[in-house]
Coordinates of all heavy atoms in Angstrom, one line a residue:
M25 N 0.9 -1.2 0.0 CA 0.0 0.0 0.0 C 0.9 1.2 0.0 O 1.8 1.4 0.8 CB -0.9 0.0 1.2 CG -1.8 1.2 1.3 SD -2.8 1.2 2.8 CE -3.9 -0.2 2.5
S26 N 0.6 2.1 -0.9 CA 1.4 3.4 -1.0 C 0.8 4.4 -0.1 O -0.2 4.3 0.4 CB 1.4 3.9 -2.4 OG 0.2 4.3 -2.8
A27 N 1.6 5.5 0.1 CA 1.2 6.6 1.0 C 0.0 7.4 0.4 O -0.6 8.1 1.1 CB 2.4 7.6 1.1
T28 N -0.3 7.2 -0.9 CA -1.4 7.9 -1.5 C -2.7 7.1 -1.7 O -3.6 7.6 -2.2 CB -1.0 8.4 -2.9 OG1 -0.7 7.3 -3.8 CG2 0.2 9.4 -2.8
D29 N -2.6 5.8 -1.2 CA -3.8 5.0 -1.4 C -4.9 5.4 -0.4 O -4.6 5.9 0.7 CB -3.5 3.5 -1.0 CG -2.7 2.9 -2.2 OD1 -2.8 3.4 -3.2 OD2 -2.1 1.8 -1.8
V30 N -6.1 5.4 -0.9 CA -7.3 5.8 0.0 C -8.0 4.5 0.3 O -8.4 3.7 -0.5 CB -8.2 6.7 -0.9 CG1 -9.5 7.0 0.0 CG2 -7.5 8.0 -1.2
V31 N -8.2 4.3 1.6 CA -9.0 3.2 2.2 C -10.3 3.6 2.7 O -10.3 4.5 3.6 CB -8.1 2.5 3.3 CG1 -8.9 1.3 3.8 CG2 -6.8 2.0 2.7
T32 N -11.4 3.1 2.3 CA -12.7 3.4 2.8 C -13.2 2.2 3.6 O -13.2 1.1 3.2 CB -13.7 3.7 1.7 OG1 -13.2 4.7 0.8 CG2 -15.1 4.0 2.2
V33 N -13.6 2.6 4.9 CA -14.1 1.5 5.8 C -15.4 2.0 6.3 O -15.6 3.0 6.9 CB -13.1 1.4 7.1 CG1 -13.7 0.4 8.0 CG2 -11.8 1.0 6.6
G34 N -16.5 1.1 6.0 CA -17.8 1.4 6.5 C -18.4 2.6 5.8 O -18.0 3.1 4.8

Side-chain angles (χ1 to χ4, degrees):
M25 180 181 294
S26 70
T28 59
D29 287 340
V30 176
V31 178
T32 301
V33 179

